């Protein structure tokens, strides 16, 4: 059974002093997580702006939640995640999401859940878009964004900036459990 599905048995004493078993999953969050824009890194990444709303380090590895903002053409190369599911929730604008042979237009309010191991990609097709990605469990994608991205501290959307060398991007992705398997999607 993999780490995400193993149960952990812990023992504690109840009010009467009797021992009782508490069952939990590894990676359970045991303390509150409260972040604000001052503690959430913002990075230029693949031509867009990514705000780390909750990193895997904040959630005991349970998940990572990132907010993306980009203009038409902000995209990912075709890739797959070896050990995490990726969920998109579009807040504003429209994306084209491709998973295998399935191509969908995903607009504001829509959700796309992409299972691990399936090649997928996205591209912003509206003038601008803002969306969340939830990575469960966390630890791969957010660390990749931190390594491949550049810090951003301004208040306006960043310029696209230089794109990483494709070979270097592929190497960085692989170090975080992400396989780049095809070219970037075009709007």
């Amino acid at each position: 059974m993999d780490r995400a599905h193993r149960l952990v048995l812990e023992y504690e004493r109840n009010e009467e002093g009797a021992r009782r078993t508490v069952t939990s999953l590894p990676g359970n969050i045991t303390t509150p997580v409260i972040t604000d824009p001052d503690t959430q890194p913002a990075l230029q990444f693949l031509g867009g702006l990514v705000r780390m709303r909750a990193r895997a380090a904040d959630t005991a590895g349970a998940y990572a939640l990132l907010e993306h903002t980009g203009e038409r053409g902000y995209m990912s190369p075709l890739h797959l995640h070896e050990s995490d599911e990726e969920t998109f929730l579009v807040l504003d604008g429209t994306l084209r999401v491709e998973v295998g042979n399935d191509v969908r237009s995903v607009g504001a309010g829509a959700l796309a859940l992409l299972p691990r191991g399936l090649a997928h990609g996205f591209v912003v097709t509206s003038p601008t878009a803002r969306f969340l990605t939830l990575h469960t469990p966390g630890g791969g994608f957010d660390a990749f964004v931190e390594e491949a991205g550049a810090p951003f501290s301004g208040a306006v959307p960043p310029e696209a900036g230089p794109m990483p060398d494709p070979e270097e991007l592929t190497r960085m992705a692989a170090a975080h459990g992400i396989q780049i398997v095809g070219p970037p999607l075009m709007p």
Side-chain angles (χ1 to χ4, degrees):
M1 191 177 291
D2 68 19
R3 178 183 164 255
H5 295 98
R6 268 193 317 242
L7 294 178
V8 175
L9 297 178
E10 299 172 352
Y11 299 95
E12 64 180 36
R13 302 277 178 191
N14 65 15
E15 292 175 9
E16 292 79 34
R19 192 170 122 173
R20 68 179 182 162
T21 303
V22 178
T23 304
S24 65
L25 293 173
N28 281 357
I29 300 166
T30 58
T31 59
V33 176
I34 300 172
T35 67
D36 60 48
D38 293 334
T39 62
Q40 300 165 350
L43 301 151
Q44 289 178 261
F45 178 71
L46 300 181
L49 175 65
V50 177
R51 295 187 186 278
M52 304 282 198
R53 298 303 187 185
R55 294 178 290 182
D58 300 325
T59 66
Y63 67 91
L65 180 65
L66 288 65
E67 180 182 341
H68 302 251
T69 304
E71 296 180 347
R72 179 179 170 83
Y74 171 48
M75 54 60 209
S76 71
L78 195 61
H79 66 283
L80 63 86
H81 301 265
E82 295 171 356
S83 58
D84 63 314
E85 272 70 45
E86 182 172 28
T87 302
F88 287 75
L89 177 61
V90 180
L91 303 173
D92 298 303
T94 305
L95 310 177
R96 186 176 74 242
V97 175
E98 296 186 16
V99 183
N101 293 327
D102 196 5
V103 178
R104 300 279 180 106
S105 180
V106 183
L111 180 136
L113 171 60
L114 310 176
R116 69 185 78 189
L118 287 181
H120 63 276
F122 77 89
V123 62
V124 173
T125 56
S126 56
T128 61
R130 189 168 63 95
F131 56 96
L132 300 174
T133 58
L134 176 67
H135 304 268
T136 50
F141 187 73
D142 60 324
F144 169 56
V145 170
E146 286 186 301
E147 182 178 352
F152 175 73
S153 60
V156 297
E159 299 281 326
M163 296 299 280
D165 171 73
E167 287 181 20
E168 181 65 7
L169 187 69
T170 299
R171 183 201 60 75
M172 286 188 277
H176 299 286
I178 301 163
Q179 295 178 29
I180 295 179
V181 297
L185 303 182
M186 295 294 131

